[in-house]
Structures are given as C-alpha cells and as structure tokens.
Amino acid sequence: MKLAPVITIDGPSGSGKSILSQALAKNLEWFNLESGIIYRLFACLFLKKNPIFSKKNLISLLEDLNHYFTYDNGIICNIIKKSFSENDIVSQEVTKVASQLATITYVRKNLLIKQRLFRRKPGLVANGRDMGTTVFPDAIIKFFLKAKLKYRALRRMNELKKKGFYVNFKNILLQIQKRDHRDTNRTDSPLEKAKDAIIIDSSNMNVTEVFKVAMSYINIIKLSSL
Ligand code: DC
C-alpha cells in the first residue's frame, strides 16, 4: 500500500515554518502537523502534573499524553489542546522545558511514533526540527527554513506581544540562542538540514514570498510526476 505523501519543513524558532506549513496544507488541502505543539503539550503536562525528570515519571506522563489525541482507526486525527490555554502553550517556561524534554532519547522515540500516525491521505505537511531527517525521511519534498537571529527574535517578540506578554528584545534573543544551541547540539535527531532539503532564507521575505517560493518547488514535483 502506498503511503500518503509528506512535505517537511524544518528550521529554528522564528524562521516562519509554522505559518508556511499552514499555508501549504491549506493550499494543497492536505493535513498539517505542527510537531512542536506535541513537545509543548508534553511540557505543559510535565509542569502541571509532576515536574521531575526521572525516567519513571516521564514514561507515565507519555502515557497520559495519549489522552490528548483523537484517533480514527488507529490514525491520529487531532491534537487536543483545550486543557491548556494558548498562553500556557507559548509561555517562556513551557518553551524552555519543551526544548529540554526534547533532548531525552526515550521521549523522542515515543513522540516519533505519535508523529508518524498523522500521515494520512491525501497528504501531510509536517513542520519541526527533525521532520525531514528522522520522522519522515521519505518526504517527497523537504524544506529547511532559516533566517538571521535578529529577525527571528523580532518575530518571536511580536508574536508574544500580540498575545499580551511583556517581552524584552535582549532576553528573547538570548533565549532563542540558548534554545538553538540545545536543539542543534542534542545527540538524538538534532535540528539540522536534511541532505536533500531545499534551503529558504526568510530573513528578508514576507510570508507570501516564502509561500510562493515553496509552491514553485512543489509545482515542479507535481509536473514531473504527471
Ligand atoms: O517549534 P516549537 O518552537 O514549537 O518547538 C518547541 C520545542 O520542541 C523546540 O525547542 C524543540 C522541540 N521540538 C523538537 O525537538 N523536534 C521537533 N520536531 C519539534 C519541536
């Protein structure tokens, strides 16, 4: 049986992968997976229920996490976020803890299975840090989004400001640097460009421009498969 096609978008925080992923999925009428939300949800559970980094505790929390997905014939359809507010999910504490939990191999292995269950027809656009390298290495097209640190920090600051958080640019810059370092240097599936990924530098591009560039690559694939 032929598996549903996948398009992957990886990149660091603030590179614009979530918004591109949503736009591509909408345009193609495919499903969209925001893998960072799974790590964030896990961090929310950890902070709320039992913030202890022991293996026993984390394994029990990973089991609890199963209640946060809806399944249809064994295939995950949706992530249930309603137990936590949008502000909890994007808070600086959850952001930091999600990145810390993401360094733990057995946590990643467990979440990898959950992420693969999102693959369904007609197709999936998946964004994160290791979508093209580890989770969906057979993706039909892989993008790696990057942008200068200054622009990524500005985007994150504006995003948080819109949600009503008080933010300081220097702090945001430092936090992003720390997170980049942790996400890039962990031993298990670090943030890195897949060998066959197309790099898009979004530093000086708006959302529509990035979308157009990505769609032009997707259209080439579509034409060549006719
Ligand atoms: O994309 P995000 O900022 O919502 O992700 C939050 C954290 O989750 C990120 O710092 C690292 C982790 N993560 C990961 O390790 N692998 C992914 N595929 C997605 C997120």
Side-chain angles (χ1 to χ4, degrees):
M1 198 186 69
K2 221 173 149 210
L3 289 171
V6 181
I7 293 174
T8 59
I9 307 166
D10 290 304
S13 159
S15 56
K17 38 183 207 309
S18 301
I19 198 146
L20 174 64
S21 189
Q22 277 167 28
L24 292 181
K26 192 170 172 211
N27 190 260
L28 297 166
E29 298 186 342
W30 284 13
F31 293 95
N32 181 38
L33 169 63
E34 175 85 35
S35 64
I37 290 288
I38 302 180
Y39 286 88
R40 285 175 183 272
L41 204 56
F42 186 49
C44 287
L45 262 185
F46 171 85
L47 289 167
K48 184 179 162 193
K49 290 207 163 171
N50 196 4
I52 295 171
F53 281 91
S54 74
K55 187 166 183 176
K56 190 169 165 232
N57 178 46
L58 293 177
I59 287 188
S60 137
L61 290 176
L62 283 166
E63 266 167 39
D64 283 359
L65 191 66
N66 289 328
H67 304 302
Y68 288 78
F69 297 98
T70 55
Y71 295 84
D72 178 8
N73 288 327
I75 297 179
I76 291 183
C77 314
N78 232 324
I79 303 174
I80 306 168
K81 295 188 281 185
K82 63 174 182 283
S83 314
F84 301 99
S85 73
E86 191 64 28
N87 281 2
D88 283 338
I89 292 174
V90 299
S91 73
Q92 309 210 23
E93 192 181 19
V94 165
T95 302
K96 183 174 121 201
V97 171
S99 165
Q100 288 171 338
L101 290 166
T103 62
I104 304 170
T105 296
Y106 57 85
V107 169
R108 296 201 75 81
K109 280 214 172 95
N110 184 294
L111 300 185
L112 173 86
I113 299 165
K114 290 183 174 53
Q115 291 166 75
R116 287 196 176 141
L117 288 176
F118 277 91
R119 186 172 194 163
R120 52 165 46 199
K121 288 182 176 151
L124 177 73
V125 184
N127 77 80
R129 304 290 189 290
D130 59 345
M131 298 294 104
T133 51
T134 310
V135 185
F136 302 110
D138 60 336
I140 53 161
I141 186 158
K142 300 176 186 178
F143 293 108
F144 190 85
L145 274 190
K146 62 177 199 178
K148 289 200 178 82
L149 177 66
K150 183 178 86 180
Y151 295 109
R152 295 195 283 122
L154 270 173
R155 287 175 192 159
R156 172 101 182 121
M157 190 174 80
N158 291 335
E159 198 184 302
L160 288 170
K161 264 190 183 166
K162 260 194 222 155
K163 295 197 161 112
F165 288 100
Y166 165 76
V167 278
N168 168 291
F169 183 70
K170 267 195 182 159
N171 281 348
I172 294 278
L173 205 82
L174 264 173
Q175 280 166 14
I176 290 194
Q177 268 177 322
K178 273 194 193 158
R179 197 144 71 99
D180 280 355
H181 184 266
R182 202 167 27 232
D183 292 347
T184 314
N185 291 289
R186 63 175 177 237
T187 42
D188 193 357
S189 29
L191 163 67
E192 63 181 345
K193 181 187 112 43
K195 281 195 188 78
D196 47 350
I198 297 158
I199 297 179
I200 303 178
D201 187 336
S202 70
S203 301
N204 295 305
M205 287 163 95
N206 64 31
V207 178
T208 313
E209 287 165 334
V210 177
F211 171 76
K212 281 188 181 158
V213 171
M215 268 320 291
S216 64
Y217 285 106
I218 295 169
N219 287 332
I220 294 170
I221 294 265
K222 270 196 197 156
L223 282 177
S224 61
S225 63
L226 284 179

